[in-house]
Amino acid sequence: DERSGRRHWTGLVEEACSSRAMVCIRTATCEDLLHMQQANLKSLPENYQFKYYLYHLLSWPQLLQVAEDASGRIVGYVLAKMEEETGPGESHGHITSLAVNRTSRKVGLATRLMMSAHDSMDEVFQAPFVSLHVRVTNKAAIHLYKNILRYDVHDVEEKYYADGENAYDMRKHFRKKKERGGAGGGGEKRPAPG
């Protein structure tokens, strides 16, 4: 019944929001976009127009995540999308922007935001991997991506940023196609159950 399903969902949200210093990681809504833009302006040198956030929300609503504190303030976000490669079926996830307000850092919010976006890319879009760009001098972000989230440096993009700084093109691979039940070569076949 619809009410029991709603109660179950509400219980899950309350459980997710009740731990970790009362910060809830949830899917962004249209009402969150201005707050996301404000967090971006306060935290990052790369800024985006409002219509860019709206485009992401309309195109990939499952991939925008916010961190909301107990008072209802947005204290962080991840802006993500799917990128098409050369042909159909070759898309992958991409992290466009990740920001956490300075006063809310060092408690794992960036990790939780990223993991939530990763889960949606993998489960909803069956993305084989996710990519992102990070300034080569941003040691804290590189530590998060390499050591905690297990990204690898794929390439260096020269003068990627407007100020001429280079960027690491980093990637994290999700489950292999054969684990999802898709086409894939060479894996061991398991015997049919019983």
Side-chain angles (χ1 to χ4, degrees), residues 28-96:
T29 65
C30 201
E31 291 80 22
D32 297 321
L33 296 181
L34 280 174
H35 301 290
M36 291 170 67
Q37 186 180 35
Q38 288 301 313
N40 171 270
L41 291 168
K42 290 178 189 174
S43 304
L44 300 173
E46 291 76 42
N47 306 127
Y48 308 102
Q49 293 182 6
F50 181 79
K51 66 183 178 183
Y52 194 59
Y53 294 91
L54 184 58
Y55 169 68
H56 275 69
L57 182 70
L58 294 174
S59 301
W60 308 279
Q62 306 92 330
L63 299 182
L64 280 71
Q65 306 293 320
V66 293
E68 181 180 32
D69 71 10
S71 67
R73 287 183 318 124
I74 301 302
V75 296
Y77 74 88
V78 62
L79 184 67
K81 64 182 181 176
M82 295 301 296
E83 291 211 49
E84 295 294 325
E85 290 294 317
T86 56
E90 297 182 19
S91 65
H92 69 273
H94 183 77
I95 302 296
T96 303

Side-chain angles (χ1 to χ4, degrees), residues 122 127-128 173-185:
D122 188 23
H173 289 269
F174 298 129
R175 297 175 290 162
K176 298 187 184 340
K177 281 185 182 180
K178 66 180 180 178
E179 293 175 11
R180 285 193 190 109

Side-chain angles (χ1 to χ4, degrees), residues 92-130:
H92 69 273
H94 183 77
I95 302 296
T96 303
S97 180
L98 170 69
V100 175
N101 292 352
R102 293 192 189 285
T103 56
S104 299
R105 292 182 185 171
K106 304 288 185 192
V107 294
L109 292 183
T111 301
R112 291 173 59 207
L113 285 162
M114 290 288 285
M115 290 173 71
S116 184
H118 290 164
D119 287 347
S120 291
M121 287 174 188
D122 188 23
E123 293 169 14
V124 176
F125 295 98
Q126 292 80 46
F129 68 92
V130 57

